Amino acid sequence: MPSVSIIMPVYNAERYLDVSVGSVLAQTSPDWQLVCFNDASTDTSAAILQKYAGADSRITVIDSPVNVKQGGGRNRAIRAAKGEYILFLDADDRLNKDAVKLCLDAARKYRADTVLFDYERFGADGAVLGAEPQLGEDAPALHGFELKKRIVRRPAPLWCGMYRRSLITENALYFPENAFYEDNAVALAIQLSASEPVKIDGALYGYRCDNVSVTRSTDNYRFFHRLASARILKSHLQRLGLYEPWRDEIDFLLLNQYYIHTVFGCVYRFHRVPLLRHSYVCATVERVIPAFRKNPYYRAMPLKQKIKLAAHVRFPRAIKCLSRIKNSLRP
């Protein structure tokens, strides 16, 4: 059995597969399985994946006749995984050649069930555009409670970690299906459910920046899937007994995901402010994060930031108009 199963959902990614799959084949440790879920691609992705699987028995391809989005693809790939640990890789990204080796070394040294790491951004030519340190420069020296405290305050992307598979399967932390922002619904719950997480130094994941995704697109109403993800995350944390120990920190994280980022997104991610969605967010935030104005982290926000948020809540169309004028005056 492989020690690590690498989970990769694929949808119309023919342009990127030589890089993503190639980065797995280039691993300095051979102790891996790559599970590719072809999510009803309409390009040549399926044929490319089958070519790789035919050349290397460690690669498994699951073909789906219907599109179930990344969450559904990851869930099916996790159920087919054989490894003790799980790594997540998006089809347009890449892994550092030492990712599997360094993660396994850390897991065995510290008997860790989660190993977190940094990522780097890269462009169309493959050149590294910059590293993104996760959890702070001192994070590799933190363990146990102190590292979990840092994770809550500065959550790392799901794909910046290797996780014992049982954290997902035994805690029923599968992804919401047919939805976007599915990572937001489970990532923190998986990371906090670890009994012994560790953070290693180094960027082991490469994040592509030259493509278009839901998180970077405009006028895309899938942006509001983040609301459901916030509610699902809270329910998971409450069910697993992970909410109360970190109530203030988690409520502030949810406030950002459900309310603050969404309010600003309504203004700046759409050519016309979606007023119904904007009003819904403002009207329901107290149901998801009760009495959020009393949250110590919200109260500690700079006054200028609070005023800016209040203006975007009360006058979104006026703020949008001012933004257009400002942009038109730029040289």
Side-chain angles (χ1 to χ4, degrees):
M1 292 292 112
S3 293
V4 180
S5 291
I6 301 168
I7 304 301
M8 189 171 77
V10 177
Y11 177 69
N12 289 355
E14 60 184 5
R15 291 183 297 163
Y16 310 119
L17 291 176
D18 286 344
V19 171
S20 57
V21 177
S23 74
V24 178
L25 292 170
Q27 289 298 302
T28 53
S29 168
D31 197 5
W32 53 264
Q33 168 200 27
L34 175 61
V35 185
C36 303
F37 182 84
N38 176 41
D39 197 12
S41 295
T42 58
D43 63 0
T44 62
S45 292
I48 295 171
L49 293 175
Q50 291 296 345
K51 179 192 71 174
Y52 279 116
D56 195 312
S57 62
R58 294 172 297 177
I59 300 176
T60 298
V61 179
I62 303 171
D63 276 311
S64 175
V66 295
N67 185 273
V68 294
K69 307 294 187 293
Q70 282 215 133
R74 284 173 172 163
N75 290 341
R76 288 155 179 75
I78 289 168
R79 293 186 177 101
K82 306 295 184 182
E84 180 182 4
Y85 295 94
I86 295 287
L87 268 170
F88 293 99
L89 174 63
D90 286 351
D92 53 350
D93 293 338
R94 68 190 185 191
L95 290 175
N96 178 290
K97 63 183 178 64
D98 293 317
V100 171
K101 178 183 184 303
L102 292 176
C103 286
L104 283 176
D105 287 349
R108 290 162 178 162
K109 178 178 179 180
Y110 298 104
R111 297 181 179 179
D113 46 11
T114 290
V115 179
L116 300 172
F117 44 81
D118 302 329
Y119 75 94
E120 61 188 17
R121 296 174 291 109
F122 70 96
D125 61 356
V128 175
L129 304 176
E132 299 292 339
Q134 302 297 298
L135 308 176
E137 294 183 0
D138 61 335
L142 303 177
H143 295 276
F145 176 85
E146 290 301 319
L147 182 55
K148 286 188 178 185
K149 185 176 181 181
R150 185 67 59 83
I151 291 170
V152 175
R153 292 296 310 278
R154 299 173 59 173
L158 178 78
W159 31 260
C160 275
M162 182 185 79
Y163 312 97
R164 194 180 301 276
R165 179 160 53 97
S166 59
L167 293 179
I168 300 170
T169 58
E170 294 179 7
N171 291 317
L173 290 173
Y174 291 99
F175 297 84
E177 301 194 5
N178 294 304
F180 294 86
Y181 293 92
E182 74 287 342
D183 291 8
N184 291 352
V186 297
L188 181 63
I190 294 171
Q191 292 165 0
L192 285 183
S193 64
S195 58
E196 185 55 55
V198 298
K199 165 67 170 58
I200 58 178
D201 196 15
L204 303 186
Y205 190 95
Y207 178 74
R208 183 181 294 274
C209 293
D210 66 318
N211 58 345
V212 176
S213 67
V214 173
T215 57
R216 295 195 293 270
S217 60
T218 58
D219 288 329
N220 192 333
Y221 277 80
R222 294 166 179 169
F223 171 74
F224 296 104
H225 287 199
R226 63 192 298 116
L227 305 179
S229 290
R231 294 192 296 266
I232 293 170
L233 174 61
K234 184 173 182 178
S235 68
H236 281 317
L237 294 170
Q238 290 174 322
R239 173 175 60 84
L240 296 171
L242 299 171
Y243 175 71
E244 287 300 331
W246 314 98
R247 175 187 282 269
D248 288 339
E249 291 83 359
I250 290 170
D251 277 353
F252 188 65
L253 182 148
L254 294 171
L255 184 67
N256 274 285
Q257 180 177 329
Y258 188 93
Y259 182 60
I260 298 175
H261 293 166
T262 307
V263 164
F264 284 113
C266 284
V267 175
Y268 299 112
R269 295 174 64 103
F270 294 83
H271 287 96
R272 295 182 62 184
V273 177
L275 288 177
L276 287 178
R277 304 297 180 94
H278 181 276
S279 298
Y280 174 81
V281 170
C282 296
T284 59
V285 60
E286 292 265 9
R287 292 211 305 261
V288 181
I289 312 103
F292 71 84
R293 292 176 181 84
K294 296 181 180 179
N295 182 282
Y297 296 101
Y298 176 79
R299 296 178 66 179
M301 286 172 56
L303 179 60
K304 182 178 179 180
Q305 190 173 349
K306 289 181 182 177
I307 293 173
K308 183 178 180 180
L309 174 61
H312 284 70
V313 168
R314 295 189 64 185
F315 312 111
R317 286 188 293 186
I319 297 293
K320 182 68 176 180
C321 183
L322 290 173
S323 174
R324 285 174 176 162
I325 293 172
K326 181 179 179 181
N327 289 334
S328 69
L329 295 176
R330 287 178 178 169

